[in-house]
Each structure stands twice: as C-alpha cells, then as structure tokens.
Amino acid sequence: METKKEKETPEERKARLRKLRQAQQEALDSDTKKRKRDEPEPVIKFRNYKPTNEDLKEKVVVQEVVTEQPSIEMVVEKQLAEAAPDGDIVDESGQVDLLNLAPRKIDWDLKRDLNAKLEKLQRRTNRAIAEILREKLGAESQ
C-alpha cells in the first residue's frame, strides 16, 4: 500500500512544507500583532536624568524632599521602646539602665558558637587522661 507521501515528488513535498512554514509564520505574526495591540506602550519616567529636549522634560518625575528629620533622641527612644516593651531597660526615673542594656559577658556569643567544639574536645581530653592513667597503672602492676 502506498500512501500519499510516498507518491509525491520532491518538488511537491517542498511546496507542501513551504506552505506549512508560511502558515505557521503567519500564525506567529498574528499572535505577536495581537499582543502588541493589547500591551500598552511603555511609559518613560526620568527619575535621575534631566533631559534637554523640551518634549521629554514633562516626563521627569519630581521627587519629594523630606525636610523634617527625626532627632537622634527620638530615634533612640523609639528603638528602646521596640527592644523592651515591658520597660526592663528603663528604670523608675526614666533613665536607661546600662547594666541591663549591655550584655552580662562580652564573649557570650563566642562561647555559644564554640560550645559544640569544646564538648567534643573535652570528651577527647577525658579519654586521653583515662588512657594515660591505665598505662601508668599497667606499668606499676607489672
């Protein structure tokens, strides 16, 4: 049984494939045209650049300047209020209690980070001491 594809000549096959490619390209082109029509044009906004062209000057974004900056005291009070909502840092007179504010020991984070390594080292040390004692006892008993 011969099929249609086996009967066609190479020229006919080329023509058929050319038509398929054209149809596929037209479908892609129509899709991109539809997308282009659906998508809005990009909006140009100049935030840092000051254009010299008069047409582009209207697209400059004006940045608002903040004139009132909070004082350092207000920032510190806000941070203290956030850090300790129950007020254990501030004493009765309203002063900051430096003993409660500072860490009790300066190297607490180092001890925390090295704790696992120190435990392993302590186990090895204990094993080594026990081994030395066994050797001394073995030497004395002989």
Side-chain angles (χ1 to χ4, degrees):
M1 282 194 330
E2 291 186 19
T3 62
K4 180 181 177 184
K5 290 182 182 177
E6 291 175 356
K7 289 182 181 180
E8 67 184 353
T9 65
E11 292 81 23
E12 292 173 343
R13 184 173 183 270
K14 285 180 186 178
R16 183 177 54 86
L17 291 174
R18 191 176 305 122
K19 286 180 184 179
L20 284 172
R21 271 191 233 114
Q22 286 176 353
Q24 193 176 29
Q25 187 64 35
E26 288 174 4
L28 287 173
D29 290 343
S30 65
D31 286 345
T32 54
K33 287 179 184 177
K34 286 179 185 177
R35 277 193 230 127
K36 285 183 181 178
R37 275 187 260 136
D38 293 343
E39 293 177 0
E41 288 291 320
V43 179
I44 298 174
K45 294 181 184 178
F46 297 114
R47 292 185 177 86
N48 297 325
Y49 175 73
K50 294 183 176 144
T52 55
N53 189 345
E54 294 296 323
D55 296 334
L56 297 176
K57 282 187 178 180
E58 59 194 38
K59 298 186 185 223
V60 172
V61 176
V62 179
Q63 296 179 353
E64 296 180 19
V65 178
V66 178
T67 57
E68 184 180 323
Q69 294 185 355
S71 66
I72 295 174
E73 292 83 13
M74 292 173 56
V75 172
V76 170
E77 287 176 9
K78 182 180 176 184
Q79 288 177 353
L80 286 173
E82 290 174 358
D86 56 347
D88 62 347
I89 294 176
V90 180
D91 60 2
E92 295 82 26
S93 64
Q95 297 292 325
V96 175
D97 187 12
L98 294 178
L99 295 175
N100 288 337
L101 183 61
R104 299 187 198 284
K105 294 183 181 178
I106 296 172
D107 60 347
W108 67 271
D109 59 337
L110 296 174
K111 287 183 180 179
R112 180 198 64 209
D113 293 342
L114 295 176
N115 197 16
K117 292 180 181 179
L118 286 175
E119 286 176 4
K120 188 185 288 186
L121 185 61
Q122 185 65 35
R123 287 193 301 264
R124 286 184 180 175
T125 305
N126 289 341
R127 273 193 226 128
I129 291 172
E131 187 177 323
I132 291 171
L133 288 175
R134 281 189 211 113
E135 287 176 4
K136 283 186 180 181
L137 289 175
E140 287 176 7
S141 65
Q142 289 180 353

